[in-house]
């Protein structure tokens, strides 16, 4: 199985901050990397697919980059509704695997 | 827009079988998608369980493969999950989701709202 490791596991930030979350794969996955946002009691929501493609309807302050084993999710200017948990997921091979999550909290 | 809705018992006894159904609305289960199950233990991360194509082809997570069966019912536009020999470790919110594929890559979207299944006597 491909292991996905996110860092940090939790992060405190303020509204307006620029935030970067990192995801590392245990082997090269090309650009087969997706990012999801999950709020408490809700299902995950797709933000970014294929490492850098913004899902329709997702604000442009979200962006993704990377290829191979190292990927980043960046939020350019945090908004109150962005405080949530973020997960990366590889779509390179089965079983599909997720990172352990990064909890983004209000400072 | 396709919507998914999970249903099934919220409580299952240890050693029993967990059975859930995902109803598909706003689209056909015979479309070119894989239909997936994903779970999330309370306070923990996401685990992919497996998926099915409308033809009946399946892919399962090897960690659960011996206990999992995913099936499709085209007449009811739904697909189902059965997980046997459950223990407390199978307590989780279970989500169904569409596994969309495009140009050799894929992603999960949309997701159902999820249903909590507790394994307890």
């Amino acid at each position: 199985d491909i292991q996905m490791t996110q860092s940090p596991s939790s992060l405190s930030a303020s509204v307006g901050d620029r935030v970067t979350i990192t995801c590392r794969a245990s082997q090269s996955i090309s650009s087969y990397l997706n990012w999801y946002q999950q709020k408490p009691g809700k299902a995950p929501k797709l933000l970014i697919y294929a490492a850098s493609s913004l899902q329709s309807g997702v604000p442009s302050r979200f962006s993704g980059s990377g290829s191979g084993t190292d990927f980043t999710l960046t939020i350019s200017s945090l908004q109150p509704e962005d405080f949530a948990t973020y997960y990366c997921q590889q779509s390179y091979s089965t079983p599909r695997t997720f990172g352990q999550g990064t909890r983004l909290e209000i400072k | 827009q396709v919507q998914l809705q999970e249903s099934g018992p919220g409580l299952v006894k240890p050693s029993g079988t967990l059975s859930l159904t995902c109803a598909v609305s706003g689209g056909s289960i015979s479309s070119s998608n894989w239909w997936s199950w994903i779970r999330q233990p309370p306070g923990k991360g996401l685990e992919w369980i497996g998926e099915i194509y409308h033809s009946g082809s399946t892919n399962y997570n090897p960690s659960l493969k011996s206990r999992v069966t995913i099936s499709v019912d085209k007449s009811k536009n739904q697909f189902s999950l059965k997980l046997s020999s459950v223990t407390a470790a199978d307590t989780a919110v279970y989500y169904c989701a569409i596994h969309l594929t495009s140009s050799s890559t894929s992603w999960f979207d949309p997701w159902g709202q999820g249903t909590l299944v507790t394994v307890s006597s």
Side-chain angles (χ1 to χ4, degrees), chain A residues 32 34 36 38 43 55 87, chain B residues 40 95 99 104 106 108-109 112:
Chain A
Y32 298 144
N34 308 313
Y36 302 85
Q38 186 178 34
Q55 171 67 343
Y87 292 94
Chain B
Q40 184 173 37
Y95 295 101
H99 189 197
S104 82
S106 65
F108 296 107
D109 182 69

Side-chain angles (χ1 to χ4, degrees), chain A:
Chain A
D1 299 5
I2 297 176
Q3 306 303 316
M4 307 300 294
T5 304
Q6 291 180 230
S7 60
S9 295
S10 63
L11 173 61
S12 295
S14 301
V15 172
D17 283 354
R18 179 183 179 89
V19 167
T20 297
I21 298 169
T22 297
C23 178
R24 175 165 289 177
S26 60
Q27 67 181 74
S28 177
I29 58 171
S30 185
S31 296
Y32 298 144
L33 189 283
N34 308 313
W35 290 98
Y36 302 85
Q37 176 194 66
Q38 186 178 34
K39 296 183 178 179
K42 300 295 186 181
K45 171 189 171 184
L46 178 69
L47 297 176
I48 303 283
Y49 62 94
S52 61
S53 295
L54 192 67
Q55 171 67 343
S56 175
V58 175
S60 60
R61 62 181 179 273
F62 291 92
S63 64
S65 65
S67 66
T69 60
D70 295 319
F71 302 86
T72 59
L73 172 69
T74 299
I75 309 173
S76 60
S77 179
L78 272 174
Q79 298 302 301
E81 61 268 29
D82 300 337
F83 292 94
T85 300
Y86 294 84
Y87 292 94
C88 62
Q89 174 250 325
Q90 63 83 15
S91 58
Y92 182 81
S93 66
T94 56
R96 312 302 180 185
T97 48
F98 295 83
Q100 81 280 14
T102 294
R103 184 176 179 182
L104 179 53
E105 300 174 317
I106 301 173
K107 183 182 287 184

Side-chain angles (χ1 to χ4, degrees), chain B residues 34-115:
Chain B
W34 287 83
W35 305 89
S36 296
W37 288 98
I38 297 161
R39 70 180 183 178
Q40 184 173 37
K44 297 187 178 180
L46 299 158
E47 180 181 34
W48 176 76
I49 299 170
E51 62 191 6
I52 190 165
Y53 199 67
H54 62 78
S55 63
S57 296
T58 54
N59 294 309
Y60 296 135
N61 192 323
S63 68
L64 298 167
K65 187 174 183 177
S66 63
R67 299 193 291 130
V68 172
T69 301
I70 298 176
S71 59
V72 65
D73 186 336
K74 288 186 272 189
S75 68
K76 294 183 178 179
N77 216 38
Q78 65 186 33
F79 63 108
S80 299
L81 168 70
K82 289 189 185 297
L83 181 66
S84 63
S85 305
V86 297
T87 69
D90 295 310
T91 293
V93 175
Y94 285 76
Y95 295 101
C96 55
I98 298 178
H99 189 197
L100 286 169
T101 58
S102 176
S103 302
S104 82
T105 190
S106 65
W107 54 87
F108 296 107
D109 182 69
W111 298 54
Q113 65 182 29
T115 187

